[in-house]
């Protein structure tokens, strides 16, 4: 779809010249079907928390709305959100976002707000049918508003793009797990963030090439274990096999919710000189938990296949299934060498805060040290957070 | 004219009957647990289904209210915090997790041990995570009846999905408790439910009269059976007694408070640890609350040929499962129907689903009805998050507007 076919003019000011030429749809929940928006010719842009945005929410949201939602609301109130044609709110994922969506409509009545409601129950045929119907409705709404109906080929193309990118990043996660020295977490995080900002072939191809080159660098036997490890991560079937054999320096895994991998990468990078460590993996909502969404089948009905794929993403704490998630995490931590786990919790985030004790319990059972790290997405208390990470690294022998 | 020696607040005679009903509920829960037939359920759960299948429900939220009333909220919430549950989480959830962890130190030694946990997210998303935590502690399996929030009208695929959930619920209860569903039995349980809810609704509506026969605390206490025992036959007698007393008060022109001057709407759960102090304190100043958004939430009846579909529609369309528009509309309607002068919104830190949005709805309700309102912030169980002085100042500011 060309820009000319998009009838609704963008309303807010853009950040860059490049952005000015694109019709961007913002979304807040990591499991938003970006493929649908790409097929309609939009650029879906993940709206994440940014540093230095404070205030502006007080007359609309109480302080016990989660830190992430307050940050996003403040961005909008202070005009820092960038130029968006519309914004997609999830329904039925968490109470903060559910209610903020309503408040947003009242406070910013000119904004085009879309609501996509998710099933919260276990994934079964009923949940898939429900979500597929929601996707169909959203598609129709986009068609009605913007006058464009993507063809099956356009849907397929969008799905293939996201599949290609996810596959490449999944492989990079796997490579890092086995050989973290080959690519830094900072670089991986940056690849993730740039695609979330502007999903396109160029970014997906770049990720694919990096993966390809690294795979060549690796020895043949590594390539085999790489494939096994990738499959294990994707399916959760670890078959009690060891995926890594690396012991030093201290290997960390970061677990948590809606904090961008880049924020985490920069945070840990800032302590790496004084406290050497290797952040081998994230289990973040904006990282692993979305990246390891299983590939979407391009042959079936797009909405059904997309629903199946999105709902099967692992470790999603806004859905039913805590026992399964804890089992996955335990199996993973048994299969990889990990010396410490850092559990990030956002202030007033129900999904994070309810899950944290169970995650810590799982780590304890495996004899792995764990740190619960309350933080807000803008890292307003960065020095305290850094000090806590440093102390933790000292306790696990990182210095 | 009111007798000046009389208390500002009139106690209900039906309260004695209420205590008997709730005592029976407690004994039945213990017995069912021993028999392996007890399920914990959330307040918006279609309890008629487990009841019709011979499974007894127990309500952790109602237990939370007891914990709050007995002023042990901070202790029990503290036990949950010892386990790592953040103080920022819902205090009903924390007190239930705390009492499951330390039953010996909890009122009535906690709720009886459940064999299953039945959660319906039509009130909030918290209940799922809370019940998952209890499941880890008790090994009782969780069943989630997923009722996604409704933005405007309930779409056909939405009803379909919830209806399938009801069917799966019946399968889950059949397997877990080795029982089966007889639709005729469901009809008779639903009939009990409808009869009790009708009587309850009539008592609520009687508060349109001036003076109002019931105040907020009256309704919050007497709603316990309709929340916890919907579908049981023996609560019908209680609601008949209550309604008779309410009718009698109306006929004789007796109000819930001695000298009714200001009529307000209450929004949200009450501060259970202060329920009498707070409302009776205001009663002394002539303030009565003839309506509130919380106790009006239990309405509607299960009927028709397709019972499961009807259950799906009824339980999806509850107050908290709808958007801000519906909430504002409900508040405006109550203000008009009950001829209220203003409103107090309790912004409950525990409950995001109920509370986030109040800052906007306050403006909208005033705009629409022309009556003033105030927001006070605190918690319903955890008194540590309740600043008495600050709340009084805000309420005073509202009352001055009526001077
Ligand atoms: S999942 Fe947590 S951090 Fe994300 S919007 Fe919901 S409450 Fe906020
Ligand atoms: S979050 Fe609100 S609705 Fe949910 S259990 Fe707690 S008090 Fe009830």
């Amino acid at each position: 779809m060309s820009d000319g076919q998009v009838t609704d003019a963008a309303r807010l000011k853009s950040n860059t010249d490049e952005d000015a030429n694109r019709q961007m749809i913002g979304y807040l929940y990591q499991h938003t079907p970006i493929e649908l928006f790409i097929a309609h010719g939009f650029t879906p842009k993940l709206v994440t928390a940014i540093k230095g945005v404070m205030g502006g929410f007080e007359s609309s949201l109480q302080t016990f709305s989660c830190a992430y939602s307050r940050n996003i609301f403040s961005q909008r109130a202070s005009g820092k959100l960038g130029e968006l044609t519309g914004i997609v709110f999830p329904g039925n994922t968490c109470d903060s976002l559910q209610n903020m969506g309503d408040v947003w409509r009242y406070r910013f009545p000119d904004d085009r707000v879309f609501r996509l409601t998710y099933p919260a129950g276990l994934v079964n045929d009923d949940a898939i049918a429900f979500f597929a119907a929601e996707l169909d409705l959203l598609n129709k709404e986009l068609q009605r508003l913007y006058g464009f109906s993507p063809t099956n080929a356009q849907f397929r193309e969008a799905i293939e793009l996201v599949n290609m990118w996810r596959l490449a990043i999944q492989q990079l996660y796997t490579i890092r797990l086995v050989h973290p020295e080959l690519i830094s977490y900072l670089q991986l995080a940056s690849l993730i963030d740039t695609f979330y900002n502007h999903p396109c072939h160029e970014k997906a191809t770049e990720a694919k090439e990096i993966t390809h080159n690294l795979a060549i660098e690796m020895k043949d036997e590594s390539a085999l274990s790489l494939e096994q490890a990738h499959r294990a991560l994707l399916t959760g079937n670890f078959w009690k096999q060891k995926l890594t054999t690396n012991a030093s320096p201290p290997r960390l895994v970061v677990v948590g919710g809606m904090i961008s991998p880049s924020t985490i990468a920069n945070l840990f990078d800032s302590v790496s000189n004084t406290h050497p460590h290797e952040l081998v993996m994230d289990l973040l909502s904006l990282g692993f938990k979305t990246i390891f969404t299983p590939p979407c089948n391009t042959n079936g009905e797009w909405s059904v296949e997309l629903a199946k794929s999105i709902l099967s993403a692992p470790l999603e704490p806004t859905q039913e299934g805590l026992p399964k998630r804890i089992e996955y995490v335990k199996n993973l931590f048994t299969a990889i060498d990990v010396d410490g786990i850092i559990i990030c919790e956002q202030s007033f985030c129900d999904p994070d805060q309810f899950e944290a004790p169970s995650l810590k319990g799982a780590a304890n059972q495996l004899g792995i040290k764990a740190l619960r790290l309350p933080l807000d997405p803008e890292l307003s208390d960065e020095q305290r957070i850094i000090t806590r990470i440093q102390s933790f690294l000292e306790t696990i022998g990182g210095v | 004219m009111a007798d000046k020696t009389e208390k500002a607040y009139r106690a209900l005679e039906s309260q004695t009957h209420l205590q008997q009903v709730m005592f029976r509920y407690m004994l039945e829960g213990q017995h069912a647990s021993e028999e392996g037939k007890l399920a914990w359920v959330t307040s918006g759960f279609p309890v008629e289904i487990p009841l019709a299948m011979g499974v007894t429900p127990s309500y952790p939220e109602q237990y939370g209210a007891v914990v709050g009333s007995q002023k042990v909220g901070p202790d029990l919430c503290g036990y949950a915090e010892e386990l790592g549950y953040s103080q920022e989480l819902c205090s009903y959830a924390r007190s239930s997790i705390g009492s499951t962890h330390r039953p010996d130190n909890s009122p009535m030694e906690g709720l009886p041990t459940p064999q299953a946990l039945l959660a319906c997210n039509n009130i909030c998303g918290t209940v799922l995570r809370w019940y998952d935590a209890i499941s880890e502690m008790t090994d009782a399996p969780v069943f989630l009846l997923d009722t996604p929030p409704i933005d405007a009208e309930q779409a056909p695929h939405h009803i379909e999905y919830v209806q399938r959930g009801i069917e799966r619920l019946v399968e889950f209860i059949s397997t877990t408790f080795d029982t089966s569903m007889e639709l005729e039995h469901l009809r008779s349980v639903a009939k009990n439910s409808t009869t009790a809810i009708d009587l309850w609704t009539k008592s609520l509506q009687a508060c349109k009269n001036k003076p109002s026969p019931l105040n907020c605390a009256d309704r919050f206490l007497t709603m316990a059976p309709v929340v916890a025992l919907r579908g049981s036959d023996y609560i019908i007698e209680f609601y008949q007694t209550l309604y008779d007393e309410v009718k009698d008060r109306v006929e004789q022109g007796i109000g819930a408070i001695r000298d009714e001057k200001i009529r307000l709407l209450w929004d949200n759960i009450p501060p259970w640890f202060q329920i009498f102090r707070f409302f009776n304190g205001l009663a002394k100043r002539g303030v009565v609350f003839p309506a509130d958004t919380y106790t009006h939430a239990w309405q509607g009846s299960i009927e028709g040929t397709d019972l499961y579909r009807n259950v799906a529609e009824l339980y999806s369309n509850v107050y908290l499962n709808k958007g801000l528009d519906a909430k504002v509309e409900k508040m405006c309607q109550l203000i008009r129907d009950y001829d209220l002068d203003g409103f107090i919104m309790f912004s409950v830190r525990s409950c995001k689903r109920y509370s986030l949005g109040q800052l906007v709805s306050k403006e909208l309700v005033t705009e629409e009805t022309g009556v003033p309102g105030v927001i006070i912030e605190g918690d319903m169980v955890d008194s540590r998050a309740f600043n008495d002085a600050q709340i009084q100042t805000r309420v005073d500011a509202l009352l001055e507007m009526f001077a």
Side-chain angles (χ1 to χ4, degrees), chain A residues 6-13 20 22-24 83-85:
Chain A
V6 178
T7 54
D8 204 56
R11 285 164 294 93
L12 307 168
K13 284 275 164 276
R22 294 188 262 127
Q23 295 285 336
M24 289 201 284
E83 187 167 342
L84 299 175
T85 297

Side-chain angles (χ1 to χ4, degrees), chain B residues 61 90 92 123-124 126-127 130 269 320 350-351 380:
Chain B
E61 287 153 80
C90 166
Y92 278 166
I123 51 167
C124 67
T126 294
V127 290
W130 163 15
I269 312 171
L320 284 181
S350 270
C351 188
M380 72 281 191

Side-chain angles (χ1 to χ4, degrees), chain B residues 11-300:
Chain B
L12 282 167
E13 281 168 21
S14 335
Q15 274 201 27
T16 326
H17 195 160
L18 173 68
Q19 280 159 10
Q20 290 162 3
V21 169
M22 295 317 285
F23 187 63
R24 180 168 170 184
Y25 157 70
M26 201 184 77
L27 292 181
E28 280 183 352
Q30 277 161 359
H31 180 69
S33 174
E34 283 155 19
E35 300 273 299
K37 295 270 182 202
L38 186 83
W40 286 12
V41 298
T42 54
S43 61
F45 198 85
V47 69
E48 290 84 356
I49 304 273
L51 262 181
M53 298 178 78
V55 174
T56 301
S58 249
Y59 284 78
E61 287 153 80
Q62 199 252 341
Y63 182 74
V66 172
V67 169
S69 313
Q70 296 198 10
K71 301 186 173 40
V72 290
D75 295 342
L76 267 72
C77 289
Y79 303 150
E81 287 153 29
E82 279 167 15
L83 293 176
Y85 291 95
S86 165
Q87 199 177 337
E88 292 173 355
L89 293 170
C90 166
S91 56
Y92 278 166
R94 274 181 293 141
S95 45
S96 135
I97 292 169
S99 66
T100 306
H101 178 48
R102 306 266 298 265
D104 293 349
N105 291 354
S106 306
M108 302 177 293
E109 298 191 353
L111 279 184
T113 308
Q115 280 76 48
L117 304 162
L118 308 179
C120 180
N121 56 359
N122 56 0
I123 51 167
C124 67
T126 294
V127 290
L128 165 63
R129 299 176 245 288
W130 163 15
Y131 277 37
D132 266 344
I134 297 286
S135 177
E136 264 192 355
M137 300 168 85
T138 61
D139 282 338
V142 179
F143 181 91
L144 171 71
L145 177 65
D146 186 18
T147 49
I150 297 171
D151 232 8
E153 288 298 299
Q154 191 177 16
H157 73 278
H158 192 296
I159 303 177
E160 199 68 35
Y161 174 60
V162 180
Q163 184 173 347
R164 280 290 301 134
I166 306 274
E167 286 159 17
R168 285 193 304 107
L169 167 67
V170 172
E171 284 162 30
F172 172 84
I173 295 177
S174 303
T175 320
T176 310
F177 292 97
D178 191 20
T179 175
S180 61
M181 169 64 94
E182 302 294 333
L183 280 182
E184 269 324 296
H185 200 187
L186 177 58
R187 262 181 225 288
S188 93
V189 167
K191 197 162 160 250
N192 288 340
S193 215
T194 305
T195 312
I197 286 172
D198 281 351
L199 288 163
W200 172 241
T201 308
K202 282 205 255 179
S203 298
L204 296 181
Q205 287 180 347
C207 299
K208 288 177 185 168
N209 288 288
K210 291 181 183 175
S212 170
L214 296 174
N215 199 3
C216 227
D218 299 322
R219 290 190 304 274
F220 276 115
L221 296 177
T222 52
M223 78 171 189
V226 91
V227 176
L229 293 161
R230 260 183 343 271
S232 311
D233 51 2
Y234 62 91
I235 68 164
I236 294 172
E237 198 189 325
F238 165 69
Y239 281 109
Q240 187 61 58
T241 312
L242 174 70
Y243 181 53
D244 290 345
E245 188 175 357
V246 165
K247 239 180 10 184
D248 200 44
R249 279 186 172 187
V250 171
E251 277 159 20
Q252 294 190 45
I254 296 173
I257 71 168
R258 189 184 60 198
D259 194 8
E260 176 178 310
K261 289 186 197 134
I262 301 167
R263 292 164 66 88
L264 298 182
L265 173 77
W266 176 263
D267 180 48
N268 219 323
I269 312 171
W272 290 110
F273 45 87
Q274 277 233 349
I275 188 154
F276 289 113
R277 199 169 146 227
F278 184 84
F279 290 109
N280 292 354
L282 285 172
K284 286 184 193 144
R285 299 165 74 179
V287 179
V288 71
F289 291 81
D292 62 87
T293 51
Y294 194 77
T295 62
H296 280 252
W298 279 270
Q299 289 181 346

Side-chain angles (χ1 to χ4, degrees), chain A residues 99 106 120 348 350 353 372, chain B residues 84 88 126 146 157 325 356 363:
Chain A
N99 287 29
Y106 277 99
F348 286 105
D350 282 359
Q353 292 179 334
R372 285 178 59 181
Chain B
E88 292 173 355
T126 294
D146 186 18
H157 73 278
D325 287 340
L356 293 178
E363 289 171 21

Side-chain angles (χ1 to χ4, degrees), chain B residues 304-374:
Chain B
T305 47
D306 194 345
L307 287 184
Y308 290 175
R309 190 172 185 84
N310 191 235
V311 172
E313 283 173 356
L314 187 66
Y315 279 92
S316 302
N317 280 283
V318 301
Y319 180 72
L320 284 181
N321 210 32
K322 294 183 158 190
L324 200 64
D325 287 340
K327 288 181 187 146
V328 168
E329 199 184 304
K330 177 83 181 172
M331 287 183 71
C332 292
Q333 187 199 333
L334 289 172
I335 287 170
R336 279 191 288 262
D337 291 354
Y338 288 74
D339 195 16
L340 306 179
D341 306 305
F343 57 96
I344 295 184
M345 303 180 98
F346 188 33
S347 165
V348 177
R349 284 169 68 85
S350 270
C351 188
K352 298 177 183 80
R353 181 64 78 82
Y354 215 144
S355 310
L356 293 178
Q358 281 175 319
L359 300 179
V360 174
S361 25
K362 175 181 174 281
E363 289 171 21
L364 294 171
V365 170
T366 296
E367 208 175 284
E368 174 101 19
T369 60
V371 305
V374 72

Side-chain angles (χ1 to χ4, degrees), chain A residues 28-30 65-69 93-97 257-258 285 316-318 346-352, chain B residues 352:
Chain A
L28 304 173
Y29 182 55
Q30 59 275 12
S65 188
C66 75
Y68 172 77
S69 58
T93 57
C94 66
D95 294 335
S96 283
L97 281 191
M258 297 163 89
S285 295
E316 185 42 68
T318 59
Q346 299 221 35
S347 160
F348 286 105
C349 171
D350 282 359
D352 276 7
Chain B
K352 298 177 183 80

Side-chain angles (χ1 to χ4, degrees), chain A residues 253-266:
Chain A
V253 173
V254 174
V255 188
M258 297 163 89
I259 299 158
S260 87
S262 286
T263 306
I264 291 293
N266 283 312

